[in-house]
Amino acid sequence: MKRRFLFAALMCSVLPAIAAVAPEDIARLGKDLTPVGADKLGNGKDIPAWKGGLPLDKTHKPGAFHADPFAADKPRFRITSANIAEHRSRLTDGQVALLQRFPDLYFEVYPTHRSASYPDYVYQAIKTNASRAELMKYGAGVTGATMSSPFPVPENGLEVLWNHTLRFRGHSMAYTAVASSVTQGGQRIDALREYEYFIQYSIPGAEPTDLDNKIFFLKRKTLAPAQLAGGITLVHETLDQVRSPRKSWIYVPGQRRLRRTPDLAYDTADSNTNSIRTVDQVDMFNGAPDYYDWELKGKREIYIPYNAYKVHQGTLKIDDILQDHHINPSLLRYEAHRVWVVEAKLRLGYSHRYSTRRYYVDEDSWSIIYAEEYDEEGKLWQVTEAHTINYYDVQLVYPTLEVTYDLESGRYYAEGLDNERGATIDFSQELDADDFSPNAIRREAVR
């Protein structure tokens, strides 16, 4: 491998632009590496070889819940607070802390299925990205990439992070779901929201120069409870997160105006989460990486939430899923997978409520599956899980449920609860950038 690195000690503050992947490494894609850059072979034990993932299902109705292709599987074993030592080498510090904090919690470990799959044009885009993508100075963004993850053979923590941020999420999507914060005593505060995304970064046929420094556009509208109904958040997410930070607006019905909000970033509290989650914890991590120094720790084999079709079903009620202290463990599925481990340390002179953050990134999808957040004294504070599925009607991996646990207070926050809505994410919506202009939101707000 020609691209060697010293990132175990290299600081983001002195990071230059880094050249594209060496030709011999690009040639490995689709051979000993999968088209996204994962190790194709298994481990000879419980992680199988990748054989293409789930195939496209053209008969699936857009927005319908996805049948569980692995429903016949039986758990191999259960991990509890009583047998942590037996499985410690394949558990993260956050998982251990969760089991110890909530003794009735457990992880059912199932056979591993490397189900992640993407369309062929996404694989081709990743290969093209590998030959021309570069980190911007200070890791502030990426040049020379479109459609999907830019660095299939990563050599530092920032490349892995941007692989997550720019992973393929379809072209546009719309859904309605409940987000709920649960108190230590088990009381719930629910918010019903409508989400619409247009992913400019993944426009078919687009060149990097066509992106206008945009990754995606987001509109999030609150439908309930009544006192919050009609509130709208509009986001224009940028590719160079430091030179041109995201643009965001908020419409508050009582004020009857759409106003710019410059603080929708970093550790600003995410609205309606009871201050459990910060804005940059949405989608496990989002936004500018400049507050932290990012170190690639390497790869590990661990048990992670995966193929979460059981909790994805429309026949479930939210009461079936949310328990007093955690998600109902009988509805969750864990499998052995390889992950990239990235650690972020708060840079000197910067302020954020998390001093250290650790991320576990699925090698087959570039999705962050686990996030662990530490306070300024180095104590583990929060753990977030992404329960992903392969949406095989469009062939992409995306969370059906994200859960953030506050270990200190015993509270938790769950997002993506679309089970009672009669439909899940619809990737067939025909949206474009014009639907996300401030004027379009103003017109919608007054209707």
Side-chain angles (χ1 to χ4, degrees):
M1 185 183 295
K2 289 183 178 179
R3 296 167 68 237
R4 298 295 178 187
F5 68 102
L6 300 174
F7 257 74
L10 187 62
M11 296 294 187
C12 174
S13 58
V14 296
L15 184 70
I18 292 179
V21 178
E24 60 265 34
D25 286 334
I26 296 175
R28 297 172 61 199
L29 298 175
K31 295 180 181 176
D32 66 303
L33 299 179
T34 73
V36 306
D39 290 313
K40 182 177 285 189
L41 293 178
N43 63 359
K45 298 181 295 183
D46 54 356
I47 298 177
W50 183 81
K51 297 182 179 179
L54 288 177
L56 177 67
D57 183 355
K58 294 182 179 180
T59 67
H60 185 86
K61 182 180 177 181
F65 286 91
H66 298 69
D68 185 352
F70 313 118
D73 287 353
K74 302 298 182 185
R76 295 174 51 225
F77 53 86
R78 176 180 291 187
I79 304 175
T80 70
S81 59
N83 64 358
I84 287 174
E86 181 182 343
H87 303 283
R88 184 64 181 90
S89 65
R90 282 190 163 188
L91 296 174
T92 75
D93 291 347
Q95 289 175 310
V96 171
L98 283 174
L99 291 169
Q100 292 174 337
R101 182 68 169 82
F102 308 113
D104 60 336
L105 182 64
Y106 57 85
F107 303 147
E108 297 273 31
V109 178
Y110 287 79
T112 297
H113 297 280
R114 296 180 68 181
S115 53
S117 63
Y118 294 94
D120 287 340
Y121 64 84
V122 171
Y123 294 143
Q124 182 56 53
I126 292 173
K127 196 167 189 177
T128 300
N129 289 344
S131 68
R132 65 186 185 185
E134 294 182 355
L135 283 175
M136 296 177 185
K137 192 174 182 180
Y138 310 124
V142 176
T143 62
T146 63
M147 188 65 70
S148 189
S149 301
F151 306 110
V153 188
E155 295 208 338
N156 59 70
L158 278 166
E159 289 187 353
V160 173
L161 179 72
W162 280 107
N163 280 346
H164 164 80
T165 300
L166 298 178
R167 71 198 190 281
F168 181 67
R169 286 174 279 186
H171 309 297
S172 57
M173 58 174 137
Y175 61 99
T176 302
V178 167
S180 183
S181 65
V182 184
T183 69
Q184 186 177 17
Q187 294 182 321
R188 279 176 26 204
I189 304 171
D190 293 348
L192 177 62
R193 296 167 174 165
E194 179 183 81
Y195 302 78
E196 290 184 347
Y197 285 86
F198 172 67
I199 317 294
Q200 182 147 313
Y201 179 76
S202 64
I203 294 175
E207 290 296 317
T209 53
D210 299 329
L211 299 178
D212 191 29
N213 196 36
K214 297 294 193 306
I215 301 174
F216 64 77
F217 300 85
L218 162 66
K219 183 190 74 175
R220 187 178 76 177
K221 183 176 182 178
T222 300
L223 306 179
Q227 63 267 31
L228 301 175
I232 300 174
T233 300
L234 174 66
V235 175
H236 293 184
E237 187 76 343
T238 56
L239 189 53
D240 182 342
Q241 297 278 332
V242 175
R243 178 180 60 83
S244 179
R246 69 162 57 103
K247 296 180 180 179
S248 57
W249 296 259
I250 292 179
Y251 177 80
V252 180
Q255 299 176 1
R256 299 188 63 80
R257 68 186 182 92
L258 185 70
R259 60 181 178 84
R260 280 289 301 271
T261 172
D263 58 351
L264 201 66
Y266 300 111
D267 61 352
T268 300
D270 188 17
S271 61
N272 303 324
T273 70
N274 202 16
S275 296
I276 294 175
R277 189 172 74 168
T278 61
V279 165
D280 65 4
Q281 285 177 276
V282 177
D283 193 36
M284 307 301 282
F285 180 87
N286 73 90
D290 58 319
Y291 276 26
Y292 293 88
D293 294 316
W294 300 83
E295 181 181 357
L296 180 58
K297 295 288 191 178
K299 268 189 183 181
R300 281 187 63 187
E301 293 180 3
I302 61 173
Y303 299 119
I304 60 175
Y306 220 83
N307 290 312
Y309 295 97
K310 196 172 183 179
V311 76
H312 172 74
Q313 298 308 308
T315 54
L316 292 173
K317 301 295 184 184
I318 294 177
D319 286 343
D320 299 328
I321 300 171
L322 302 184
Q323 295 188 337
D324 287 354
H325 303 111
H326 48 71
I327 300 298
N328 183 351
S330 70
L331 298 175
L332 305 181
R333 178 186 179 113
Y334 295 80
E335 300 179 359
H337 286 266
R338 287 184 292 247
V339 297
W340 294 93
V341 184
V342 176
E343 188 168 279
K345 295 279 190 180
L346 189 63
R347 296 173 63 196
L348 186 65
Y350 287 77
S351 176
H352 196 290
R353 79 178 194 177
Y354 303 126
S355 66
T356 302
R357 312 173 82 161
R358 192 174 297 125
Y359 297 98
Y360 301 85
V361 185
D362 171 37
E363 70 166 345
D364 287 329
S365 66
W366 295 116
S367 298
I368 295 175
I369 301 296
Y370 265 105
E372 297 168 352
E373 321 278 0
Y374 292 77
D375 65 18
E376 60 183 9
E377 296 177 353
K379 181 181 178 182
L380 182 58
W381 184 352
Q382 291 190 343
V383 179
T384 302
E385 293 183 320
H387 297 267
T388 62
I389 66 169
N390 191 300
Y391 289 82
Y392 45 72
D393 51 327
V394 289
Q395 289 185 294
L396 61 85
V397 176
Y398 199 71
T400 183
L401 179 65
E402 282 187 13
V403 189
T404 298
Y405 293 99
D406 189 301
L407 297 170
E408 186 175 283
S409 68
R411 301 175 299 155
Y412 73 97
Y413 175 78
E415 185 172 58
L417 296 158
D418 55 6
N419 307 78
E420 297 181 16
R421 309 267 59 87
T424 186
I425 299 175
D426 184 352
F427 294 96
S428 69
Q429 294 289 313
E430 295 185 1
L431 302 171
D432 60 37
D434 292 340
D435 297 316
F436 299 85
S437 71
N439 284 337
I441 302 305
R442 290 187 184 99
R443 290 193 297 269
E444 176 180 342
V446 299
R447 287 202 297 266

